[in-house]
Amino acid sequence: MANTNYFIKKYISDKFNKIVLIAVVMTIITILYISKVLADNEIKNIENRQYNSLVKSIHKEIDILIDNKKETTSFIAMALSNDINLKEALNNKNNKSIKLQEFSDKLNRSTNFRNVWFQIIDKDGYSFYRSWTNRCGDCMLEVRSEIEKLIKNPKKLSTISVGKFDMTFKSMVPIYDKNTFIGIFEIITHFDSIASQIKKENLDVIFLADKSYKKQIIKPYSKLFIEDYYVALKNPNERVLNLLKTNGIENYIHKDNYFLDKKEGLFITTYYISDIDGKDMGYAIVFKPIKSIKMDTVNYITQNIISIMIIFILIIAILGYYLINKNHKINLVKQHKLHEKEIEKSIKFFTIGQMAAGITHEINTPLTYIKGTIEMSKYDIYDLEQSAIKQRLLDDNKQVMDGINRMSIIIESMKEMSQVAPTIKEESNIYATLITVLRMTYNRSKQITKIYINDELFVLETSSSNKYTFNTMINKQKIEQVWTIIINNALDELMKIDNYEKRKIDISIKDIDGNILISFQDNAGGIDENLKNNIFEPFVSNKTSSGIGIGLNVAKKILDEHKATIDVENKNDGACFSIRLN
């Protein structure tokens, strides 16, 4: 201890050592400052990208719900428009025999449709029957321009419009009697069911009709107005309703892509509803608690920056120590110096090994986020008009994705190969793991092919993880990785087929003699016979433009850990992978 104190005092007393110490301290302070600035900027950029991604997701979800509702209401309207009693009532100009309110009540009790309205309009544009009121006989041409267009050119029309009562979905179907146009059948549904479905995603929404329609809505269904904006919901969330009343609608509908109300702890975005002429007719203002938005990427980036900062500080500290130590005037025998150098080298290699394992883990998540962002940008590029610039953007996007995919494969493989912990297994439903993977890959797969599981078309909105039960002991995350590898390989191959309708993936799962057999069949032409016998070896790939041949090798390794088997054969104009789990 005395010798140590002596040496420290001697170092500090030396002018060179003082300079080195000052340089080390100043460098560390500079690194800390730069790291904080970089971290703050990077976190802000990542948060902005993640919020923008959330906006796209919410708007897309509303698009899907609106399209589904239009489609369903149109189907009901077409079915009811062919009713013989309805045609006789129109021809006889007597609506007493029409009892559609009873049908509306049945829909209310047994479906997601609430307060469905039916209206019949005669060939001259006058209301002949309304299910929600006895009032009829008024001219619809005065308040609804689409009625006049439909009378002049009878055809099926599904739209959102504002009438005397509400902003609603309207599906209109021409009524013909012996090829003679006699009127229009209209089914009117409200936004309440969409609000209920969005609520399940931890979102609150207020649907509003633009203030320009206030004078037109003379008998408001909800009886709610905020300023001059009509609230198109019967029972809106009171908290967000009061928030809109307090702050004013204009502060929400003319904001940027999104904004954060940190005082209320809410993420807010506005979805615009257009009329048939493309003008703003209404708005869906969506609220989501900021705390419910996952920011795992931000945390990982912060950890990465901190890790890199610590590494640099250690390097600077080691460098400073080395320089001071080099200046030390105590001569040590060469053997002792060599011994110290060997120890130092071993420590460095050990540290680098630990750093490599940590960096492999830390890079994986931000890389996945980058990959998702690049994939989303591709769809934005698709929306551009066809041009040479668009094609260059698509080519650049593809090159970036190829590089990211290679990095992702290598990193994942390194992670798998460095795994030393025992595999943790628990009883899980194999069918549920398949559904999980199909949901996660749906954004990509729906653009490429239809996927069938046990002869049923997989549809995201109606998929259920508990439809079938095939339980066994597995490491759930690793088995899901196997399914992801096989499905993505099939999608890569199917993209080579130009015609979407000719692409197909069939997945089957069944119990055979106490074993669970899962098969993946595509029709992408199969695997080259020269590669088939070695397809599970590392760096063997059937792909010509991407892939380094590690995926199936990783899948085989995971299945070996589960004492499962995987086989492949070419049949039905494609490749069939069969996995047998005990």
Side-chain angles (χ1 to χ4, degrees), residues 352-452:
I352 291 170
Q354 288 183 320
M355 287 165 51
I359 289 172
T360 299
H361 173 73
E362 297 295 343
I363 289 178
N364 194 41
T365 295
L367 185 64
T368 302
Y369 177 78
I370 293 170
K371 181 178 179 181
T373 303
I374 295 297
E375 282 189 327
M376 291 300 295
S377 70
K378 180 171 67 177
Y379 299 116
D380 292 334
I381 296 171
Y382 280 139
D383 290 337
L384 299 175
E385 293 183 2
Q386 188 61 42
S387 64
I389 293 176
K390 177 180 177 179
Q391 188 57 49
R392 288 200 299 272
L393 288 173
L394 288 172
D395 292 342
D396 292 343
N397 184 280
K398 181 178 182 302
Q399 291 180 3
V400 173
M401 283 302 301
D402 286 345
I404 290 174
N405 286 334
R406 283 179 173 270
M407 291 173 65
S408 180
I409 291 169
I410 293 170
I411 289 170
E412 194 60 30
S413 300
M414 288 174 63
K415 184 179 176 182
E416 282 294 319
M417 291 177 183
S418 64
Q419 181 70 33
V420 295
T423 301
I424 300 172
K425 296 180 182 179
E426 59 185 358
E427 186 171 347
S428 303
N429 184 359
I430 299 299
Y431 181 83
T433 64
L434 286 167
I435 294 298
T436 297
V437 172
L438 290 174
R439 288 172 177 168
M440 295 298 293
T441 58
Y442 185 73
N443 277 340
R444 182 187 182 212
S445 66
K446 70 178 180 180
Q447 308 291 333
I448 299 173
T449 185
K450 296 177 181 178
I451 298 180
Y452 294 82

Side-chain angles (χ1 to χ4, degrees), residues 38-49:
L38 291 175
D40 290 344
N41 290 336
E42 186 64 18
I43 289 170
K44 185 177 180 180
N45 291 335
I46 291 172
E47 286 179 340
N48 185 53
R49 289 196 295 269

Side-chain angles (χ1 to χ4, degrees), residues 133-146:
T133 179
N134 292 326
R135 184 176 177 274
C136 58
D138 49 313
C139 182
M140 302 298 295
L141 303 177
E142 298 174 358
V143 293
R144 293 181 49 194
S145 60
E146 73 270 20

Side-chain angles (χ1 to χ4, degrees), residues 375-581:
E375 282 189 327
M376 291 300 295
S377 70
K378 180 171 67 177
Y379 299 116
D380 292 334
I381 296 171
Y382 280 139
D383 290 337
L384 299 175
E385 293 183 2
Q386 188 61 42
S387 64
I389 293 176
K390 177 180 177 179
Q391 188 57 49
R392 288 200 299 272
L393 288 173
L394 288 172
D395 292 342
D396 292 343
N397 184 280
K398 181 178 182 302
Q399 291 180 3
V400 173
M401 283 302 301
D402 286 345
I404 290 174
N405 286 334
R406 283 179 173 270
M407 291 173 65
S408 180
I409 291 169
I410 293 170
I411 289 170
E412 194 60 30
S413 300
M414 288 174 63
K415 184 179 176 182
E416 282 294 319
M417 291 177 183
S418 64
Q419 181 70 33
V420 295
T423 301
I424 300 172
K425 296 180 182 179
E426 59 185 358
E427 186 171 347
S428 303
N429 184 359
I430 299 299
Y431 181 83
T433 64
L434 286 167
I435 294 298
T436 297
V437 172
L438 290 174
R439 288 172 177 168
M440 295 298 293
T441 58
Y442 185 73
N443 277 340
R444 182 187 182 212
S445 66
K446 70 178 180 180
Q447 308 291 333
I448 299 173
T449 185
K450 296 177 181 178
I451 298 180
Y452 294 82
I453 180 164
N454 280 359
D455 298 323
E456 295 180 5
L457 178 64
F458 174 77
V459 180
L460 181 64
E461 292 78 9
T462 58
S463 61
S464 171
S465 299
N466 301 316
K467 187 168 185 178
Y468 301 101
T469 302
F470 298 88
N471 286 344
T472 189
M473 297 296 293
I474 59 169
N475 182 308
K476 186 178 177 183
Q477 287 73 26
K478 288 195 173 185
I479 288 298
E480 287 174 351
Q481 184 182 356
V482 173
W483 308 151
T484 302
I485 291 168
I486 295 173
I487 291 172
N488 277 329
N489 282 350
L491 293 173
D492 289 342
E493 294 302 309
L494 285 167
M495 287 179 67
K496 299 174 184 177
I497 301 174
D498 292 333
N499 191 336
Y500 176 91
E501 296 301 325
K502 291 184 178 180
R503 304 172 185 163
K504 186 180 181 183
I505 295 177
D506 275 315
I507 303 173
S508 73
I509 177 170
K510 52 190 174 183
D511 192 313
I512 298 180
D513 299 328
N515 294 326
I516 301 172
L517 180 65
I518 308 99
S519 65
F520 298 80
Q521 172 74 58
D522 63 52
N523 62 344
I527 299 172
D528 189 328
E529 290 295 330
N530 295 325
L531 300 176
K532 194 174 70 171
N533 292 335
N534 301 316
I535 196 67
F536 298 109
E537 296 296 323
F539 309 110
V540 175
S541 176
N542 198 44
K543 303 175 185 177
T544 57
S545 61
S546 64
I548 60 171
I550 288 180
L552 287 174
N553 177 255
V554 172
K556 178 70 164 60
K557 180 181 176 183
I558 292 171
L559 292 171
D560 287 344
E561 291 173 357
H562 286 77
K563 295 184 173 22
T565 62
I566 179 170
D567 299 296
V568 62
E569 62 178 320
N570 287 330
K571 67 177 186 179
N572 299 329
D573 198 31
C576 180
F577 287 85
S578 300
I579 296 93
R580 187 180 294 269
L581 289 162

Side-chain angles (χ1 to χ4, degrees), residues 59 67 69 86 107 118 140 170-171 178 208 217 219 228-229 278 302 313 315 325 327 334 347 448 475 481 580:
H59 287 196
D67 289 343
K69 188 145 190 174
L86 185 151
L107 289 175
F118 300 100
M140 302 298 295
K170 297 178 177 68
S171 289
K178 298 179 181 179
L208 301 169
I217 305 172
K219 292 183 178 293
D228 290 334
Y229 294 87
T302 303
I313 290 174
I315 291 173
N325 190 57
N327 193 50
K334 290 184 177 181
I347 292 173
I448 299 173
N475 182 308
Q481 184 182 356
R580 187 180 294 269

Side-chain angles (χ1 to χ4, degrees), residues 86-273:
L86 185 151
K87 295 179 181 179
E88 289 180 354
L90 261 175
N91 287 326
N92 296 330
K93 298 183 178 181
N94 185 351
N95 63 12
K96 301 297 182 184
S97 62
I98 302 175
K99 305 293 183 184
L100 290 176
Q101 183 57 41
E102 296 176 2
F103 181 63
S104 177
D105 293 339
K106 288 181 180 179
L107 289 175
N108 192 55
R109 290 192 301 269
S110 57
T111 70
N112 289 328
F113 284 82
R114 300 288 183 268
N115 303 311
V116 179
W117 294 350
F118 300 100
Q119 179 168 228
I120 301 171
I121 303 166
D122 67 21
K123 63 182 180 180
D124 297 316
Y126 287 86
S127 175
F128 176 73
Y129 169 83
R130 289 189 176 108
S131 64
W132 67 96
T133 179
N134 292 326
R135 184 176 177 274
C136 58
D138 49 313
C139 182
M140 302 298 295
L141 303 177
E142 298 174 358
V143 293
R144 293 181 49 194
S145 60
E146 73 270 20
I147 299 293
E148 183 177 358
K149 294 178 182 178
L150 204 58
I151 290 174
K152 290 180 180 179
N153 182 23
K155 61 180 180 179
K156 183 180 71 171
L157 179 65
S158 291
T159 186
I160 299 172
S161 66
V162 180
K164 295 179 181 180
F165 301 90
D166 200 359
M167 181 175 71
T168 54
F169 293 87
K170 297 178 177 68
S171 289
M172 293 173 281
V173 178
I175 304 172
Y176 288 93
D177 185 22
K178 298 179 181 179
N179 297 323
T180 300
F181 173 71
I182 61 173
I184 300 169
F185 185 88
E186 180 178 45
I187 179 171
I188 302 171
T189 56
H190 306 276
F191 282 89
D192 299 80
S193 61
I194 290 182
S196 297
Q197 288 175 280
I198 291 175
K199 181 70 175 176
K200 296 176 183 177
E201 303 296 329
N202 199 22
L203 301 168
D204 283 307
V205 63
I206 297 289
F207 286 96
L208 301 169
D210 190 74
K211 61 183 179 181
S212 61
Y213 292 95
K214 183 180 181 182
K215 292 181 180 179
Q216 183 174 313
I217 305 172
I218 57 177
K219 292 183 178 293
Y221 165 68
S222 69
K223 300 179 181 178
L224 289 173
F225 282 89
I226 302 177
E227 299 165 3
D228 290 334
Y229 294 87
Y230 170 71
V231 180
L233 290 176
K234 192 71 173 176
N235 297 299
N237 181 288
E238 288 295 332
R239 180 196 175 195
V240 297
L241 193 66
N242 290 331
L243 200 60
L244 293 175
K245 290 178 179 177
T246 302
N247 298 329
I249 300 297
E250 299 292 336
N251 290 319
Y252 292 88
I253 63 175
H254 297 303
K255 289 284 185 181
D256 295 330
N257 209 19
Y258 70 88
F259 70 100
L260 303 176
D261 187 338
K262 294 186 178 180
K263 180 181 177 182
E264 297 292 334
L266 291 172
F267 166 91
I268 305 167
T269 181
T270 300
Y271 176 92
Y272 293 85
I273 301 170

